[in-house]
Amino acid sequence: MKPLGNDWDEIIKEEMEKDYYKNLRQFLKLEYFNENKSIYPPMNEIFSALVHTSYTNTKVVILGQDPYINEGEAHGMAFSVKPHAKTPPSLKNVFKELSYDIGAAIPNNGYLIKWADQGVLLLNTILTVEAKKSKSHSKKGWEQFTTSIIKTLNNKDTPVVFLLWGKDAKTKIELITNPIHKILTAAHPSPLAGGRFFGCRHFSKTNEFLRQSGMEVIDWQIENV
């Protein structure tokens, strides 16, 4: 694997030597090089969330399920799509809640790199998926890998806000035991959740906690392209 270029390299080095991860890597090789399958995100973007948000800089974690299942959407950061991709339904609901919660304008794109650059780790519990098949890469090892990421973040000596969206994300709640952190849970923003995500006000609650902790708040507004 190509180095991530920040402190995550050293943190996850030991994890990548474990048997489960070696098995996962072999599984992914077979999947990505199978000409009858399409796997998302592109292989070189699987760890984009960790590349763009270092361990040291992480102050918010948005945890989802697995990558988008349609071509041209997933690029390794939960809920985000590339600048000129169509905004998926789940992200449209995130933007609706953002508008309701803090009055943010709904942008014409779903590229969330601005959040990542401010310390928002956009992580899924499962980091790869086969086209059109949600959770097709579940129970292959990713859940164990992302558990190690959450455990490591739990050990931080600076506060982190964990936003756990959906059933899969909520399975990680027992890992977050450090009392300096803040946990907020909600239904997944997917339309399949029947709108139960709306009204969670996670964006204003996150900034309120960061402010109380003496940390810089997140500018949640995504600009148009």
Side-chain angles (χ1 to χ4, degrees):
M1 187 190 88
K2 182 176 149 186
L4 303 177
N6 59 32
D7 50 10
W8 283 117
D9 282 316
E10 190 61 32
I11 291 168
I12 66 176
K13 184 169 68 174
E14 185 178 335
E15 199 68 22
M16 289 182 164
E17 291 302 316
K18 294 181 179 179
D19 287 342
Y20 88 86
Y21 188 84
K22 291 177 181 178
N23 292 335
L24 170 62
R25 191 163 54 199
Q26 286 302 117
F27 165 76
L28 292 174
K29 283 181 182 177
L30 293 174
E31 290 286 281
Y32 273 98
F33 292 108
N34 185 334
E35 60 184 25
N36 297 315
K37 290 184 178 183
S38 295
I39 307 300
Y40 306 134
M43 189 183 290
N44 65 343
E45 295 182 331
I46 293 173
F47 297 104
S48 288
L50 301 180
V51 169
H52 288 288
T53 310
S54 69
Y55 170 78
T56 299
N57 290 342
T58 299
K59 56 186 178 182
V60 180
V61 177
I62 294 179
L63 190 62
Q65 180 179 289
D66 61 350
Y68 292 124
I69 59 173
N70 297 317
E71 184 178 0
E73 294 182 342
H75 68 105
M77 294 164 57
F79 298 101
S80 180
V81 292
K82 289 288 182 70
H84 299 289
K86 184 179 178 181
T87 303
S90 293
L91 187 53
K92 284 183 178 179
N93 284 344
V94 171
F95 287 151
K96 286 178 184 176
E97 175 61 24
L98 194 57
S99 177
Y100 167 77
D101 187 14
I102 63 171
I106 295 177
N108 65 358
N109 71 99
Y111 191 42
L112 305 182
I113 190 72
K114 178 180 177 180
W115 294 1
D117 288 342
Q118 295 177 82
V120 181
L121 182 64
L122 298 164
L123 190 68
N124 280 311
T125 58
I126 303 162
L127 301 191
T128 55
V129 71
E130 184 179 346
K132 307 295 184 182
K133 296 182 180 179
S134 292
K135 297 185 72 172
S136 49
H137 285 185
S138 68
K139 297 181 173 58
K140 302 297 183 182
W142 280 130
E143 292 92 342
Q144 189 170 340
F145 180 80
T146 52
T147 284
S148 74
I149 296 292
I150 299 299
K151 283 183 174 179
T152 302
L153 290 166
N154 179 59
N155 291 333
K156 282 194 74 157
D157 56 8
T158 54
V160 176
V161 185
F162 291 88
L163 309 183
L164 310 182
W165 294 352
K167 184 173 66 174
D168 290 79
K170 290 174 188 175
T171 63
K172 307 291 191 185
I173 196 167
E174 63 187 25
L175 308 173
I176 308 163
T177 57
N178 190 332
I180 69 170
H181 303 317
K182 178 80 170 176
I183 303 170
L184 297 171
T185 64
H188 195 280
S190 166
L192 298 175
R196 289 178 286 117
F197 177 76
F198 295 124
C200 68
R201 305 199 77 121
H202 279 189
F203 306 101
S204 60
K205 289 176 180 178
T206 293
N207 278 353
E208 181 183 358
F209 177 80
L210 293 174
R211 195 178 293 111
Q212 290 174 349
S213 301
M215 303 170 73
E216 191 171 344
V217 300
I218 305 298
D219 177 4
W220 295 108
Q221 180 66 62
I222 299 297
E223 284 76 24
N224 287 336
V225 293

